[in-house]
Amino acid sequence: MGTSTPYTLHATTYYLNPYYHYNLNFKVNANIKIESYQCLERIVSDAIEMCIIDLQLESFKDAKGLFGIEATITTRD
């Protein structure tokens, strides 16, 4: 794994921030997504846990499950 950079953490923070992520103008830059997964890879060493997190990220991306309920949607802004 590479060295952690402030950019990696900032990219992850941006990618996971509902205010930006669910904005209609939000565009996922491939580099931001790569940096986010590299950051996650440094934090989580267990492959099974990483798979679970990846599934949760898909729910987050698609606003499904807890990410799609009204109470969660109203707190995005």
Side-chain angles (χ1 to χ4, degrees), residues 5-17 21 31-43 57 60:
T5 64
Y7 177 75
T8 302
L9 185 56
H10 288 136
T12 303
T13 303
Y14 170 74
Y15 182 75
L16 295 177
N17 186 324
H21 197 89
N31 290 330
I32 289 175
K33 194 166 185 178
I34 290 167
E35 292 276 342
S36 296
Y37 274 87
Q38 287 173 340
C39 182
L40 187 59
E41 203 171 52
R42 283 191 283 280
I43 296 168
L57 285 172
F60 172 75

Side-chain angles (χ1 to χ4, degrees), residues 19-74:
Y19 178 80
Y20 298 111
H21 197 89
Y22 296 116
N23 185 298
L24 295 176
N25 296 319
F26 180 77
K27 301 282 187 238
V28 179
N29 178 300
N31 290 330
I32 289 175
K33 194 166 185 178
I34 290 167
E35 292 276 342
S36 296
Y37 274 87
Q38 287 173 340
C39 182
L40 187 59
E41 203 171 52
R42 283 191 283 280
I43 296 168
V44 179
S45 59
D46 181 61
I48 294 172
E49 189 174 350
M50 185 68 173
C51 289
I52 293 168
I53 291 169
D54 188 52
L55 289 172
Q56 291 172 335
L57 285 172
E58 285 301 310
S59 292
F60 172 75
K61 182 185 79 163
D62 298 332
K64 292 183 179 174
L66 291 176
F67 301 109
I69 62 175
E70 192 61 36
T72 305
I73 292 170
T74 58

